[in-house]
Structures are given as C-alpha cells and as structure tokens.
Amino acid sequence: MNCRPFFLTFLVGKIAAVFSAVPLPAVEPTRIYIANDDHTDYMWTADADTYANVFVEMLDFHLKLADETAANPSPYRNRFNADGALWLSTYQQRKTPAEFARLIARIKDGTISFPLNTVVSTFGGQPVEAVLRSMYYAGRIERAHDLRFPLATAMENQTLPLGLASLFAGSGARYSWRGVCGCASKLPNRVLGEREHAVYRWTGPDGQGVLLKWYSLGPHGVGGYWEAGEPLKALNYIATDANFLRRQIDPATKQPYRVLGLFGFGGDDLARKTGVTPPPMVPGVPGLHKVVSSPYCDHFLVIAKNLTTPERQIIVSNELDYFADFEKTHGATLPAKTVTYGNEWDLYSASMSETSARAKRAVEKLRSAELLATFVSLKFPDFMRRHTPARDRAFTDIGLFWEHNWTADGPISRGQRAAWQEEVVTGIESYVHSVQAEAVIRLGGLIPRPEKANRFFVLNPLGWSRTGAADHAYTGPADIHVHDVVTGQDVPHQIVTLSGARHLRILARDVPSAGYKVFEILPGPGTAPADVAATTAEATDGAFTFENTAVKLIVERDGAIRSFIAKNSPTAELAAPIDGLALNDLAPNSAAGDPLRVENAGPVSVTLRAHSEAGLDHTTAITLYRDSDRIDLRNEITANFADIRHWSFSFNLPAPAVRTEEVGAINLNKLTSDGGHYAPTHARYDYITVNHFADITSGDGLRGVTLSNPDLAFAKLGHSTVTALDTATPQLNLLAGGQVDSPSLGIRAQNGATYFLQRFALRPHAAYDQVAAMKFALEHQNPFVTGTLIGDDKGPLPADTFSLLTISDPSVLLWAVKPAEEGIDRGIIARLWNVSDAPATANISLSSGLSTASRTTHIETDLAPIALTTAGSLPATFARQQLQTYRLQPK
C-alpha cells in the first residue's frame, strides 16, 4: 500500500519554508528523529484475535517496505517500532521459523525495534515480580538470538512509580520514552504541558536508571503517546515554538539540544492500523489514499527527504538511534530525577478488586512454587519441561493483566474486558498452582522416610531461618503428638479447620533458609506445652479483650480493633479513632454485629471471629499466635458493592512517617521538599501504592506499626486528595475497591462479584526498621508449605533438614530462586534485594557448593562472570535498595 496523497508535497513544501526561516546555530545540523511507532490499545479498541492479526499484518508490511528501501541512504530507510514484545511473540507463533528469522535479522540491523515490556501497562499497582516476569519473553529471545532489547516503556498513563526505573535498568533497558494521554485525568493539561525537563536520567533509589524522553504535553500530539500522529504539524511546532524550545537546553552549553525526537504514530484508531478497511482513495489518482496518518504509509520517508536541509537532518527512526545519538551528544550533563508521581489509571484495577487480588497472590506464590521446582529439578532435570508452555503463557499473562486500558471506556464492552481479565488471571493461577502441587508430591518422595513413619516436611520459601505456624492437611486421629526430627523435641500442635478442611497446625521452629525441616506425627500425648496461646474476655458492650504474652487488643463486634497495646510498652496505646474509624474498620461509628466467637483455640494460636453488616456484610477473623506480636486479620466481604470502600487503620502515632513498598522502591510518602519521594508537581496524591507493606512510625521515631498487605494495592493517607498529600493524619485507608475516578472509568460494580478476601497483619515496633518491616510482610504472605513424605528410607535428600541457599547479610533478602528459564542445567537463578537504605555486601552460598556464578539481568541474560571467594561463595555488593540477579551453578 502506497499512501502519498497529492497534497503531501504541498504540505511538506510549506513546512520546509518555515524550517528555512528559523534562525539556526552555526554548528552541526540539528537531528530530528521521527519514529513510526504503533500504540497498542489492547482489549480497548479490539479483541485479542483482531490485534494478533494486526501485529502480523503490520510487521509484514514494514518488513516488505524495509526490503524496498534498503538501498536508500540510512536516514530514509523504513524503520518501525512496536510498543510491546507481544508483537514479537505473536509473530513467532503465527509465522514459519524462516519468516521469524527474517524479522530477527531486521531487529539486529536496526530496521524494526521492540521494547522489553509485553504491552503498554500501568505499573503502579504491580508487584516487583510481575514487572519482571512480564519481560521474560524478551529475555528468552535475547539469549536465543544473541541480541539485546535496550528499550522499555510506560506509556499514556499520566503518573509513574519511582522504582520502575531500577527494574527497567536491572532488566537491561537503557532507554525509555514516555508520552501521556492528557485525557481521563485529574492532572490538568496545563500542568502536563509544563514539565521541568524534556530529557533526563530517570533514576531509582539504587542509583540505576534509564535515559528518559518525556516532552511536555503540547499541540499536535507532542508530549503525547503518538507524537508523530500529525508529523508535519508536529515538526513545525518543535522547530518554531518558543515554549517547546526553551525546555530543550543543554545544561552544559546552554544551547538548544541538537538531537530531537518525535515518536508514535498509530494512535487509538484500529482502522488506521489495518489493511482490512483501507482509507478512502484520492479521486482521480489511482492507488493513492487520502489520509497520511496510517502506520502502513511510507510518508515518513517523504517527509525526511523533503524537510532535510543543510542545517537540519530529518531521520526515519527506530527510536534507539535517537537515544544513542542524544546520549553521545548531550548525555554527560543530563539532570537526574528520583521521584514518584503516584497513581492514576493504575487505580482502575481496583474496580475488579478480587480479580486483581488473585493476580497479586499468584505472583507471590511463585516464590514457593519455584523454590520447590528448584529442589525437584536438581534431582529430576526434566521436571519443568512439561510445565514450560504454561510458564511462558503465564508470564505473558502477567504482562497482560495490568494492561493500561483498565479505563474500559472504549469500543470493547466492559463485559468483554472483565471476562478477559478473569481469563488472564485464571491462566496465571493455573500455572503456579500446578507447579507447586506437583513439586510438593515429588519433594515428599525425595526425602528419606523410615518404614511406616508418619512424617511431613515444612518448607520455608524465604531466605532466612524462621519460626511460625505451619498448617498440614490432616485426617488422622486427634490423640497425637508431633516430634521435631532435628531437635528430638515435641512441638506445640492443635487441630484446626481452615476453609472447611481439617488441618494439623504446629509451631515450627528454626526452619532453615530456602529449605525444609521434617516433623513426625506419633500416637498419644507428648511433652509440648498444651495451654492455649491467647486468652479472651468479653466486656459488657459485647467487645472482647484478646491477648497473648506480646499484645493486648480490644475487638469490637464488627471486627474493628479499638485498642492495641504492645506489652513491652504497656502504657502506649497504638490505636486512636479518626473520623469514627478504628483499626481494620470498614464503616465509621459502628460496632454492630453478631456476638464474637472464639474458634481454633489451642497451644499454637487462637482466632476470634466477627460477623457484621456494618458497611458491607463481612466476616473478620483475628488470630494471635503463641508468644508472637503478629496479629493476623482475615476479612471476607460477602456482598457486591458499586461505590468506593476502604479498610481504615487509625493510629495514635502523632506526626507520622509513612513508608511503603511501591514498585521496586521503598518510599517515604512525603514531598521531596519534606525529605520524601513524592514529586512536588505532576503527581497524584490521593492513593499511594502499598505492595508488601506499609509502615507508620511516630514523629519522635520511638514507636510504630508495620502493616502487611497481601491482597490490595493502594491506600489513601489520611485525608489526602488528588492535589494534596496528607502527611499529618496517622491513618491508612486501604482501598478495598471501587471506581475511583468516575463510573465511566473501570469496571462497574466489581463485575458483579460478591466475595472479596482482604487480609492484613499488624506488628508493633520501636524505631523503624526497614529490613524487619519487609521480613514481617514476607513471612505473613509466604506461609510455610507442607507435604507428606511418601518415599522410602533411600531418598537422595537429607532426612531431617536441608537449606538450599544462605546469605550472610541479613539486610539482603532472597527475592526469588528458580530453575533457569532454559533448564536447570543452565543453573539456579537467585534474585536478591538489599532492602536497607545503606549499601551492603553479602556472600551467597549453596549447600552443595558453587562451581561458577555470573551476574545476569533480571530477565536472566548474562552480564559477567563473578569470581568466587576462597570459601566457594559468591561475593555480592549492593547499593541501597538494590535488586540483583545471579546465575548459580552448583557443584
């Protein structure tokens, strides 16, 4: 298809005249890169099948045009950039190996480029591993075809999380470009049109980052997500507009940048992207079409040729060439920015709150499933082979789930979008659950078991030794005791009912790092303590006092906690009502509900259960454990709702400092002017991201509370609004769900859902300890995994306890451990995060010993080998809050 209207020459000539009239510096030519980049509004403009057809058809068109223009001078050859690796994976699935090899060759020669990300996504509510797994397909292609993808993008949404810069950089990205929509936004376009810097080093808390092009929003799409949608007008604007030019100043020379870029062309209109419905013809001119704005058109070549002058070179770009040129020309003096801009379109995933919680839970469960898979793969190297297709699809689905069109306000109906989100999350869950279920059985056959012994293992998926409750499915007699095979001592135990199923709950002590410990069930009474772990006493108003050796609570009949005291500081009340809301409170000024009842009381734990219709019909189960200061809260909403709901946590912690894990960063939720991480402008302040934890500490730094958050993604600080961050009110309002911005953005009425599991855990503390906060949350959200020993006494693993991996520095946490993507023969992949705000050095050791080790990107592409210590461990040095990934080869 040739798309050159007869009036194009006239327009090009007109713009060329304007270019010639602009005063020019007496230096080398200004270089303007124009990139034909498509924007994928996946499941907004059209369904998945339609987009798959478009991906293949459009790539074929540009491959053909690349062949036809290969002899042109380099600036005038066809180039094209897709905005997601999903284009590449779709092409690989639907074309022959030879055709795919042709596309790979064009990637290598710079004709066609792809970013690391699966599709255009909202990142504010994503767990770290969701961001990383969404780029794993690109990593597999890098290794299979000896290439790199140095671009990663976050487009259209007006806000951007801080730590994403570190995650992109750690995955191998060097560059990112960003254009916003300036629509469906609470941020005024006048603000979006006044960005401080057009190009800068977007840097995470660890000092890593990428070169980011983010122009101020202006006319003709400049600063938007399809800047070259009107290429002639946009070129005229960036050549002549004083507002634009005053931001394009080299900090070193104080002269305008000599390297400019206009990216993005396809826009939202699918009709402009397909050859199925071609644009209308120009009357009387056979073969020519009226519109110039189609990714199938070759008019970028015409524009580049006709608008190039001795002073200005227009270049048809793959986007990477712009960044390489800009970095070489201006990179030495660029400013750096380390801020968060909050959340906007990210928030709309809360309009299907339970579905989004399921996605978050499945990503978290990868930690256990992959450790189990590693154990089994070391003995059965083919274990993951039959799971590989499901794994690859699940990682793509992780990349799709947070796709940016959660706005759900396009041609695809909300019902279709909601059904697709359900389908995607089901695929993720299916993979994770199946790997874990099979690996639990296989590991149970690898650990030696004396004849007729009734034994089970307790697996710790975290990278440090820990003690806690472990639940094992059990149908045997109640007259038993449980023996720790390692210590030879009996352990506290009780029979509990969980979701209608009978379990044996034990207190498992000192289960080793990334390892297991074995316990035996024996008949008759044992010697472990048999007293209950916590006590309750009913008050006259129907509330209950609930306490153990570490904490004391007063619980209302609706499940809210009106008093919270840590017994190591018994005069310090941690709870205080704000706006009629207590701790774990769904509705203000309401203590109505059924009588509280005690359940599952025993030597390990006691649970207090509430049922109430306050706010919404819901149950709350509060659990205290033996000698532990951890308070588990299990909330189940059992009614549909169409408005915005929160779980409120109101504290007696004046002048609070609130820190949360955002996305690849742990933020102090204050403005940068107050020493925090929030940008003073261009940001939304009403909802912060809360991944694993939020921590609120009093202004004097002497006491505080950590809140673990397995299911939800966002919270409002006190009375925060879109334009103001409330840093004075000691209250966290976790977003239980709703269409935050309007009934026209997101899925209405939670897509009809009537069940929502929303859990938390609380832990009091003295001074804030960032490492302790993260460990607490990880322990709550990664329970011990148990499995029955089913083998004989000849299993290849130790019969009592075993640790796969240890880390010498307690600030460096094991974030993921898994078989390498290409198989266990390519090693064990270990991802570690120094979550402290100080640099750290750690030695990483495998129980079997290490033969070699290398640093990789987060998507497992090797960077460099690492020399081992004389003791055979891997020495690793981390910046503050730095995440690193390694390939470990066991001896």
Side-chain angles (χ1 to χ4, degrees), residues 648-721:
S648 293
F649 291 83
S650 303
F651 296 96
N652 181 31
L653 295 168
V658 178
R659 297 171 177 87
T660 54
E661 182 204 352
E662 193 194 42
V663 183
I666 298 169
N667 294 348
L668 174 60
N669 292 284
K670 296 184 178 183
L671 299 182
T672 53
S673 57
D674 295 327
H677 292 104
Y678 258 84
T681 184
H682 294 84
R684 269 188 71 159
Y685 306 108
D686 48 346
Y687 285 97
I688 62 173
T689 297
V690 183
N691 258 317
H692 284 91
F693 78 89
D695 186 277
I696 182 166
T697 301
S698 59
D700 60 13
L702 298 180
R703 58 199 178 101
V705 177
T706 301
L707 180 146
S708 170
N709 171 50
D711 305 304
L712 303 179
F714 307 105
K716 183 190 293 288
L717 292 184
H719 305 114
S720 293
T721 65

Coordinates of all heavy atoms in Angstrom, one line a residue, residues 648-721:
S648 N -10.0 1.0 57.1 CA -9.2 2.1 57.7 C -8.4 1.5 58.9 O -8.9 0.6 59.6 CB -10.2 3.1 58.2 OG -10.8 3.8 57.1
F649 N -7.2 2.1 59.1 CA -6.4 1.8 60.2 C -5.9 3.2 60.8 O -5.1 3.9 60.2 CB -5.1 1.0 59.7 CG -5.5 -0.4 59.3 CD1 -6.0 -0.6 58.0 CD2 -5.4 -1.4 60.2 CE1 -6.3 -1.9 57.6 CE2 -5.7 -2.7 59.8 CZ -6.2 -3.0 58.5
S650 N -6.5 3.5 62.0 CA -6.3 4.8 62.6 C -5.4 4.6 63.8 O -5.7 3.8 64.7 CB -7.6 5.4 63.0 OG -8.5 5.5 61.9
F651 N -4.3 5.3 63.9 CA -3.3 5.1 64.9 C -3.1 6.3 65.8 O -3.3 7.5 65.4 CB -1.9 4.8 64.2 CG -1.9 3.5 63.4 CD1 -2.2 3.5 62.0 CD2 -1.7 2.3 64.0 CE1 -2.2 2.4 61.3 CE2 -1.7 1.1 63.3 CZ -2.0 1.1 61.9
N652 N -2.6 6.0 67.0 CA -2.2 7.1 67.9 C -0.7 7.3 67.8 O 0.1 7.0 68.7 CB -2.5 6.6 69.4 CG -2.1 7.7 70.4 OD1 -2.1 8.9 70.1 ND2 -1.8 7.2 71.6
L653 N -0.3 7.8 66.6 CA 1.1 8.0 66.3 C 1.3 9.4 65.7 O 1.2 9.6 64.5 CB 1.6 6.9 65.3 CG 1.6 5.5 65.8 CD1 1.8 4.5 64.7 CD2 2.7 5.3 66.9
P654 N 1.4 10.4 66.5 CA 1.5 11.8 66.0 C 2.6 12.0 65.1 O 3.7 11.4 65.1 CB 1.6 12.6 67.3 CG 1.2 11.7 68.4 CD 1.6 10.3 68.0
A655 N 2.4 13.0 64.2 CA 3.4 13.5 63.2 C 4.0 12.3 62.5 O 5.2 12.1 62.5 CB 4.5 14.3 63.9
P656 N 3.2 11.4 61.9 CA 3.7 10.1 61.4 C 4.6 10.2 60.2 O 4.5 11.1 59.4 CB 2.4 9.4 61.0 CG 1.5 10.5 60.6 CD 1.8 11.6 61.5
A657 N 5.5 9.3 60.1 CA 6.3 9.0 58.9 C 5.7 7.7 58.3 O 5.8 6.7 59.0 CB 7.8 8.9 59.2
V658 N 5.2 7.7 57.1 CA 4.6 6.5 56.5 C 5.5 6.1 55.3 O 5.8 6.9 54.4 CB 3.2 6.8 56.0 CG1 2.6 5.6 55.3 CG2 2.3 7.3 57.1
R659 N 6.0 4.9 55.4 CA 6.8 4.3 54.3 C 6.1 3.1 53.8 O 5.5 2.3 54.5 CB 8.2 3.9 54.9 CG 9.0 5.0 55.4 CD 10.2 4.5 56.1 NE 11.1 5.6 56.6 CZ 11.0 6.2 57.8 NH1 10.0 5.9 58.6 NH2 11.8 7.2 58.1
T660 N 6.2 3.0 52.4 CA 5.5 1.8 51.8 C 6.4 1.3 50.7 O 7.2 2.0 50.1 CB 4.2 2.3 51.1 OG1 4.4 3.4 50.3 CG2 3.2 2.7 52.2
E661 N 6.3 0.0 50.5 CA 6.9 -0.6 49.3 C 6.0 -0.2 48.1 O 4.8 -0.6 48.1 CB 7.0 -2.1 49.4 CG 7.7 -2.7 48.2 CD 7.3 -4.2 47.9 OE1 6.6 -4.8 48.8 OE2 7.7 -4.7 46.9
E662 N 6.6 0.5 47.2 CA 5.9 0.9 46.0 C 6.1 -0.1 44.9 O 5.7 -1.3 45.0 CB 6.3 2.3 45.5 CG 5.4 2.9 44.5 CD 6.0 4.2 43.9 OE1 7.2 4.1 43.5 OE2 5.3 5.1 43.6
V663 N 6.8 0.2 43.9 CA 7.2 -0.8 42.8 C 8.7 -0.7 42.6 O 9.2 0.2 41.9 CB 6.4 -0.4 41.5 CG1 6.7 -1.4 40.4 CG2 4.9 -0.3 41.7
G664 N 9.4 -1.6 43.2 CA 10.9 -1.6 43.1 C 11.5 -0.5 44.0 O 12.7 -0.3 43.8
A665 N 10.8 0.1 44.9 CA 11.3 1.1 45.8 C 10.5 1.1 47.1 O 9.4 0.7 47.1 CB 11.3 2.5 45.1
I666 N 11.2 1.5 48.1 CA 10.5 1.7 49.4 C 10.5 3.2 49.6 O 11.6 3.9 49.8 CB 11.2 1.0 50.6 CG1 11.1 -0.5 50.3 CG2 10.5 1.3 51.9 CD1 12.0 -1.4 51.2
N667 N 9.3 3.8 49.6 CA 9.2 5.3 49.6 C 8.8 5.8 51.0 O 8.0 5.2 51.7 CB 8.0 5.7 48.6 CG 8.3 5.4 47.2 OD1 9.5 5.1 46.8 ND2 7.3 5.5 46.4
L668 N 9.4 7.0 51.3 CA 8.8 7.8 52.4 C 7.8 8.7 51.7 O 8.1 9.5 50.8 CB 10.0 8.6 53.0 CG 9.5 9.7 54.1 CD1 8.8 9.0 55.2 CD2 10.7 10.5 54.6
N669 N 6.6 8.6 52.1 CA 5.4 9.2 51.5 C 5.3 10.7 51.9 O 4.3 11.0 52.6 CB 4.2 8.4 51.7 CG 4.3 7.1 50.9 OD1 4.1 7.0 49.7 ND2 4.6 6.0 51.7
K670 N 6.2 11.5 51.5 CA 6.2 12.9 51.7 C 6.7 13.5 50.4 O 7.3 12.9 49.6 CB 7.1 13.3 52.9 CG 6.6 12.8 54.3 CD 7.4 13.4 55.4 CE 6.9 12.9 56.8 NZ 7.7 13.4 57.9
L671 N 6.5 14.8 50.3 CA 7.1 15.5 49.1 C 8.6 15.6 49.3 O 9.1 15.6 50.4 CB 6.5 16.9 49.1 CG 5.0 17.1 48.9 CD1 4.6 18.5 48.8 CD2 4.5 16.3 47.7
T672 N 9.2 15.7 48.1 CA 10.7 15.9 48.1 C 11.2 17.0 49.0 O 12.2 17.0 49.6 CB 11.2 16.0 46.7 OG1 10.6 17.0 46.0 CG2 11.0 14.7 45.9
S673 N 10.4 18.1 49.0 CA 10.7 19.3 49.8 C 10.7 19.0 51.3 O 11.3 19.7 52.1 CB 9.7 20.4 49.5 OG 8.4 20.0 49.7
D674 N 10.0 17.9 51.7 CA 10.0 17.5 53.1 C 10.9 16.3 53.4 O 10.7 15.6 54.4 CB 8.6 17.2 53.5 CG 7.7 18.4 53.5 OD1 8.2 19.5 53.8 OD2 6.5 18.3 53.2
G675 N 11.7 16.0 52.4 CA 12.6 14.8 52.6 C 12.1 13.5 52.1 O 12.7 12.5 52.3
G676 N 10.9 13.5 51.4 CA 10.3 12.3 50.9 C 10.6 12.0 49.5 O 11.5 12.6 48.9
H677 N 9.7 11.2 48.9 CA 10.0 10.7 47.5 C 8.9 11.2 46.5 O 9.0 10.9 45.3 CB 10.0 9.2 47.5 CG 11.3 8.7 48.2 ND1 11.2 8.1 49.4 CD2 12.6 8.7 47.8 CE1 12.4 7.7 49.8 NE2 13.2 8.0 48.9
Y678 N 7.9 11.9 46.9 CA 6.8 12.4 46.0 C 7.2 13.7 45.3 O 7.7 14.6 46.0 CB 5.5 12.6 46.8 CG 4.6 11.4 46.5 CD1 4.7 10.2 47.3 CD2 3.6 11.4 45.5 CE1 3.8 9.2 47.1 CE2 2.8 10.3 45.3 CZ 2.9 9.2 46.1 OH 2.0 8.2 45.9
A679 N 7.0 13.7 44.0 CA 7.3 14.9 43.2 C 6.4 16.0 43.7 O 5.2 15.7 44.0 CB 7.1 14.6 41.7
P680 N 6.8 17.2 43.7 CA 6.0 18.3 44.2 C 5.0 18.8 43.1 O 4.1 19.6 43.5 CB 7.0 19.4 44.4 CG 8.2 19.1 43.5 CD 8.2 17.6 43.4
T681 N 5.1 18.3 41.9 CA 4.1 18.6 40.9 C 4.0 17.5 39.9 O 4.8 16.6 39.9 CB 4.5 19.9 40.1 OG1 3.5 20.3 39.2 CG2 5.8 19.8 39.4
H682 N 3.0 17.5 39.0 CA 2.8 16.4 38.0 C 2.5 15.1 38.7 O 2.6 14.1 38.0 CB 4.0 16.3 37.1 CG 4.3 17.4 36.2 ND1 5.0 18.5 36.6 CD2 3.9 17.7 34.9 CE1 5.1 19.4 35.7 NE2 4.4 18.9 34.6
A683 N 2.1 15.1 39.9 CA 1.8 13.9 40.6 C 0.3 13.9 41.1 O -0.3 14.9 41.3 CB 2.7 13.7 41.8
R684 N -0.2 12.7 41.4 CA -1.4 12.5 42.1 C -1.1 12.0 43.5 O -0.3 11.1 43.6 CB -2.3 11.5 41.3 CG -3.3 12.1 40.4 CD -4.3 11.1 39.8 NE -5.3 10.7 40.8 CZ -6.5 10.2 40.5 NH1 -6.8 10.1 39.2 NH2 -7.4 9.9 41.4
Y685 N -1.8 12.5 44.4 CA -1.5 12.3 45.8 C -2.6 11.5 46.6 O -2.4 11.2 47.8 CB -1.2 13.6 46.5 CG -0.2 14.4 45.9 CD1 -0.5 15.6 45.2 CD2 1.2 14.1 45.9 CE1 0.4 16.4 44.5 CE2 2.1 14.8 45.2 CZ 1.7 16.0 44.6 OH 2.7 16.7 43.9
D686 N -3.7 11.2 45.9 CA -4.8 10.6 46.7 C -4.6 9.2 47.1 O -5.0 8.7 48.2 CB -6.1 10.8 46.0 CG -6.1 10.4 44.5 OD1 -5.0 10.2 44.0 OD2 -7.2 10.3 43.9
Y687 N -3.9 8.4 46.3 CA -3.7 7.0 46.6 C -2.2 6.6 46.3 O -1.7 6.7 45.2 CB -4.6 6.1 45.8 CG -6.0 6.1 46.2 CD1 -7.0 6.9 45.6 CD2 -6.4 5.3 47.3 CE1 -8.3 6.9 46.0 CE2 -7.8 5.3 47.7 CZ -8.7 6.1 47.1 OH -10.0 6.1 47.5
I688 N -1.6 6.1 47.4 CA -0.2 5.6 47.3 C -0.3 4.1 47.0 O -1.3 3.5 47.2 CB 0.6 5.9 48.5 CG1 0.0 5.2 49.7 CG2 0.7 7.4 48.8 CD1 0.8 5.2 51.0
T689 N 0.8 3.6 46.4 CA 0.9 2.1 46.2 C 1.4 1.5 47.5 O 2.3 2.0 48.2 CB 2.0 1.8 45.1 OG1 1.5 2.3 43.9 CG2 2.2 0.3 45.0
V690 N 0.8 0.4 47.9 CA 1.2 -0.5 49.0 C 1.4 -1.9 48.5 O 0.4 -2.6 48.3 CB 0.2 -0.4 50.2 CG1 0.7 -1.3 51.3 CG2 -0.1 1.0 50.6
N691 N 2.6 -2.3 48.2 CA 2.8 -3.7 47.8 C 2.9 -4.5 49.1 O 1.9 -4.8 49.7 CB 4.0 -3.8 47.0 CG 3.7 -3.9 45.5 OD1 2.8 -4.6 45.1 ND2 4.4 -3.2 44.6
H692 N 4.0 -5.0 49.5 CA 4.0 -5.9 50.6 C 3.7 -5.3 51.9 O 3.0 -5.9 52.8 CB 5.4 -6.6 50.8 CG 5.7 -7.7 49.8 ND1 6.2 -7.4 48.5 CD2 5.4 -9.0 49.8 CE1 6.3 -8.6 47.9 NE2 5.8 -9.5 48.6
F693 N 4.2 -4.0 52.2 CA 3.9 -3.5 53.5 C 3.8 -2.0 53.4 O 4.2 -1.3 52.5 CB 5.1 -3.8 54.4 CG 6.3 -3.0 54.2 CD1 6.5 -1.8 54.9 CD2 7.4 -3.4 53.4 CE1 7.7 -1.0 54.8 CE2 8.5 -2.7 53.2 CZ 8.7 -1.5 53.9
A694 N 3.1 -1.5 54.5 CA 3.1 -0.1 54.9 C 3.6 0.0 56.3 O 3.3 -0.9 57.1 CB 1.7 0.6 54.7
D695 N 4.4 1.0 56.6 CA 4.8 1.2 58.0 C 4.5 2.6 58.4 O 4.8 3.6 57.7 CB 6.3 0.9 58.1 CG 6.7 0.9 59.6 OD1 7.0 2.1 60.1 OD2 6.8 -0.1 60.2
I696 N 4.0 2.8 59.6 CA 3.7 4.1 60.1 C 4.4 4.3 61.5 O 4.2 3.4 62.4 CB 2.2 4.4 60.2 CG1 1.9 5.8 60.8 CG2 1.5 3.3 61.0 CD1 0.4 6.2 60.6
T697 N 5.3 5.3 61.6 CA 6.1 5.5 62.8 C 5.9 6.9 63.3 O 5.8 7.8 62.5 CB 7.6 5.2 62.4 OG1 7.7 3.9 62.0 CG2 8.5 5.4 63.7
S698 N 5.8 7.0 64.6 CA 5.6 8.3 65.2 C 6.7 9.3 64.8 O 7.9 8.9 64.6 CB 5.4 8.2 66.7 OG 6.6 7.6 67.3
G699 N 6.4 10.6 64.9 CA 7.4 11.6 64.5 C 8.6 11.6 65.4 O 9.7 11.9 64.9
D700 N 8.5 11.1 66.7 CA 9.7 11.0 67.5 C 10.5 9.8 67.2 O 11.6 9.6 67.8 CB 9.3 11.1 69.0 CG 8.4 10.0 69.4 OD1 8.2 9.0 68.6 OD2 7.8 10.1 70.5
G701 N 10.0 8.9 66.3 CA 10.8 7.7 65.9 C 10.8 6.6 67.0 O 11.6 5.7 66.8
L702 N 10.0 6.7 68.0 CA 10.1 5.8 69.1 C 9.2 4.6 69.0 O 9.4 3.5 69.7 CB 9.9 6.5 70.5 CG 10.9 7.6 70.8 CD1 10.6 8.2 72.1 CD2 12.3 7.1 70.8
R703 N 8.1 4.7 68.2 CA 7.2 3.6 68.2 C 6.4 3.6 66.9 O 6.3 4.7 66.2 CB 6.2 3.6 69.3 CG 5.4 4.8 69.5 CD 4.8 4.9 70.9 NE 4.0 6.2 71.1 CZ 2.7 6.2 71.0 NH1 2.0 5.1 70.8 NH2 2.1 7.4 71.2
G704 N 5.9 2.5 66.5 CA 5.2 2.4 65.2 C 4.6 1.1 65.0 O 4.7 0.2 65.8
V705 N 4.0 0.9 63.8 CA 3.3 -0.3 63.5 C 3.6 -0.6 62.0 O 3.5 0.3 61.1 CB 1.8 -0.3 63.7 CG1 1.1 -1.5 63.2 CG2 1.5 0.1 65.1
T706 N 3.9 -1.9 61.7 CA 4.0 -2.3 60.3 C 2.8 -3.1 59.9 O 2.2 -3.9 60.7 CB 5.2 -3.3 60.1 OG1 6.4 -2.6 60.5 CG2 5.4 -3.7 58.7
L707 N 2.3 -2.8 58.8 CA 1.1 -3.4 58.2 C 1.4 -4.3 57.0 O 2.0 -3.7 56.0 CB 0.0 -2.4 57.9 CG -1.3 -2.9 57.3 CD1 -2.5 -2.1 57.8 CD2 -1.3 -2.9 55.8
S708 N 1.2 -5.5 57.0 CA 1.4 -6.4 55.9 C 0.1 -6.5 55.0 O -1.0 -6.5 55.6 CB 1.7 -7.8 56.3 OG 1.7 -8.7 55.2
N709 N 0.3 -6.5 53.7 CA -0.9 -6.3 52.8 C -0.8 -7.3 51.6 O -0.3 -6.9 50.6 CB -0.9 -4.8 52.3 CG -1.9 -4.6 51.2 OD1 -3.1 -5.0 51.3 ND2 -1.4 -4.0 50.1
P710 N -1.3 -8.5 51.8 CA -1.2 -9.5 50.7 C -2.1 -9.3 49.5 O -1.8 -9.8 48.4 CB -1.6 -10.8 51.4 CG -1.7 -10.5 52.8 CD -1.9 -9.0 53.0
D711 N -3.2 -8.6 49.6 CA -4.3 -8.6 48.6 C -4.5 -7.3 47.9 O -4.9 -7.4 46.7 CB -5.6 -9.1 49.3 CG -5.4 -10.4 50.0 OD1 -5.0 -11.4 49.3 OD2 -5.7 -10.5 51.2
L712 N -4.4 -6.2 48.5 CA -4.8 -4.9 47.9 C -3.5 -4.2 47.4 O -2.4 -4.7 47.6 CB -5.5 -4.1 48.9 CG -6.8 -4.8 49.5 CD1 -7.5 -3.9 50.5 CD2 -7.8 -5.2 48.4
A713 N -3.7 -3.1 46.8 CA -2.6 -2.4 46.1 C -2.4 -1.0 46.4 O -1.3 -0.4 46.3 CB -2.8 -2.6 44.6
F714 N -3.5 -0.3 46.9 CA -3.4 1.1 47.1 C -4.0 1.5 48.5 O -4.9 0.9 49.0 CB -4.2 1.8 46.0 CG -3.8 1.4 44.6 CD1 -4.7 0.5 43.9 CD2 -2.7 1.8 44.0 CE1 -4.3 0.1 42.6 CE2 -2.3 1.4 42.8 CZ -3.1 0.5 42.1
A715 N -3.6 2.7 48.9 CA -4.1 3.3 50.2 C -4.1 4.8 50.1 O -3.2 5.4 49.5 CB -3.2 2.8 51.4
K716 N -5.1 5.4 50.8 CA -5.2 6.8 51.0 C -4.6 7.2 52.3 O -4.9 6.6 53.3 CB -6.6 7.3 50.9 CG -6.8 8.8 50.9 CD -8.3 9.1 51.1 CE -9.1 8.8 49.8 NZ -8.8 9.7 48.7
L717 N -3.6 8.1 52.3 CA -3.1 8.6 53.6 C -4.1 9.6 54.2 O -4.3 10.7 53.6 CB -1.7 9.3 53.4 CG -0.6 8.4 53.0 CD1 0.7 9.2 52.9 CD2 -0.4 7.2 54.0
G718 N -4.6 9.3 55.3 CA -5.5 10.3 56.0 C -6.5 10.9 55.1 O -7.3 10.2 54.5
H719 N -6.5 12.2 54.9 CA -7.5 12.9 54.1 C -6.8 13.4 52.8 O -7.2 14.5 52.3 CB -8.0 14.1 54.9 CG -8.6 13.8 56.2 ND1 -8.0 14.2 57.4 CD2 -9.6 13.0 56.6 CE1 -8.8 13.7 58.4 NE2 -9.7 13.0 57.9
S720 N -5.9 12.7 52.3 CA -5.3 13.1 51.0 C -6.3 13.2 49.9 O -7.3 12.6 49.9 CB -4.2 12.0 50.6 OG -3.1 12.0 51.5
T721 N -6.0 14.2 49.0 CA -6.8 14.4 47.9 C -5.9 14.3 46.6 O -4.7 14.1 46.7 CB -7.4 15.8 47.9 OG1 -6.3 16.8 47.8 CG2 -8.2 16.0 49.2

